[in-house]
Amino acid sequence: INSADQLIKQEDVDKMTEEIKSITLEPGEEILDVIPQSYKVDMENGVTEPVGMHGKKLTGNFHIIIGEITSAKNIKRCIEKLDINVDKLFLEPIASAEAVLTHDEKEAGVALVDIGGGTTEIAVIALGGIVCNQSIRIAGDGFTADIQAYMRHQHNIKIGEKTAEDIKINVGSALSQLKDPPPNYVVQGPNQMTALPIEVPVSYQEIAHCLEKSISKIETAILSALEQTPPELYSDIVNKGIWLAGGGALLRGLDQR
């Protein structure tokens, strides 16, 4: 801090943030956001708002969001085609957190798992920012593909994506035993061997079995994210539970695993 009174101003914080943006990136990448996690003023750790404090040295921990330039441009282009101006791109877990978490919850510390269509986003959020996050390409679309493959191999019936989606909605489950189980769902389609139309009743237990591998991978990713969490925050998350969001989180029994 170069000022005579060693008072930390907003421009000091902004300058440090801009310096972080000068890091070397891979070709085709850009920094989408720089999220402050905590600051250190001299020997005092865990400072959330350094502006207005006195100190000789200001450092900080930041979460840097890096993305592909072409992907970011494509997202902006899609939105702008709807005559909506894009001011800034946000990391998906941050947007989800704004929608489902209160200010106090984001400050206290929570784990948020957003199971979308193409990806599952896992984020540990505390003091209003992201402590750690992880993204895996297993989510709702993967569940649908699992069901298509299961019906093809187990029942010798060929079904499309829409039918698989209907199966997921009607008898999709993350558990093989439910307190309030749905009735079997009858699927119609061509037999792969004869091409003749057939009907196959499908139970929720079958779908729980065929989705087990994908759900287990999501659980492994959640545990991996939690392993990066500070011990004191980890205990809070264990006591408070994990927040689920996204269409894939509607799978029966997922919140009971």
Side-chain angles (χ1 to χ4, degrees), residues 49 126 134 185:
E49 181 50 71
Q134 190 162 339
Y185 183 73

Side-chain angles (χ1 to χ4, degrees), residues 15-192:
K15 181 182 177 182
M16 183 169 58
T17 304
E18 289 302 314
E19 289 175 352
I20 292 173
K21 292 181 180 180
S22 64
I23 63 172
T24 303
L25 301 175
E26 295 292 331
E29 291 182 339
E30 68 176 342
I31 294 178
L32 300 177
D33 204 356
V34 176
I35 305 169
Q37 295 181 285
S38 66
Y39 297 94
K40 180 180 180 181
V41 178
D42 292 337
M43 299 302 294
E44 184 175 350
N45 290 303
V47 176
T48 57
E49 181 50 71
V51 176
M53 295 180 65
H54 290 272
K56 297 179 181 179
K57 185 177 181 181
L58 173 66
T59 57
N61 293 320
F62 293 84
H63 198 86
I64 304 172
I65 309 302
I66 298 172
E68 294 182 355
I69 296 174
T70 53
S71 297
K73 286 182 177 179
N74 288 334
I75 293 172
K76 289 180 180 179
R77 186 167 176 266
C78 289
I79 301 300
E80 287 169 350
K81 275 189 172 182
L82 300 174
D83 293 327
I84 301 174
N85 183 52
V86 178
D87 181 54
K88 184 180 180 182
L89 293 178
F90 286 89
L91 189 66
E92 187 174 336
I94 295 177
S96 297
E98 289 296 318
V100 303
L101 299 176
T102 65
H103 174 76
D104 289 344
E105 287 166 344
K106 287 185 288 185
E107 288 293 320
V110 296
L112 176 66
V113 179
D114 186 351
I115 307 176
T119 62
T120 294
E121 306 290 338
I122 305 155
V124 175
I125 300 170
L127 300 176
I130 288 185
V131 176
C132 59
N133 76 287
Q134 190 162 339
S135 177
I136 59 171
R137 292 189 177 276
I138 300 174
D141 293 345
F143 296 162
T144 302
D146 288 343
I147 293 172
Q148 285 181 280
Y150 176 83
M151 296 300 293
R152 187 168 60 250
H153 295 135
Q154 190 69 22
H155 292 290
N156 210 27
I157 183 174
K158 185 177 181 180
I159 62 172
E161 187 175 318
K162 184 183 182 304
T163 301
E165 185 75 18
D166 290 339
I167 294 172
K168 184 173 66 177
I169 292 171
N170 285 277
V171 289
S173 176
L175 293 176
S176 58
Q177 295 296 325
L178 295 174
K179 291 182 179 179
D180 187 21
N184 290 352
Y185 183 73
V186 178
V187 179
Q188 297 177 330
N191 184 290
Q192 288 192 118

Side-chain angles (χ1 to χ4, degrees), residues 198-212:
I198 58 174
E199 288 188 352
V200 176
V202 182
S203 69
Y204 79 89
Q205 289 102 331
E206 287 185 87
I207 303 307
H209 173 72
C210 88
L211 297 181
E212 178 62 30

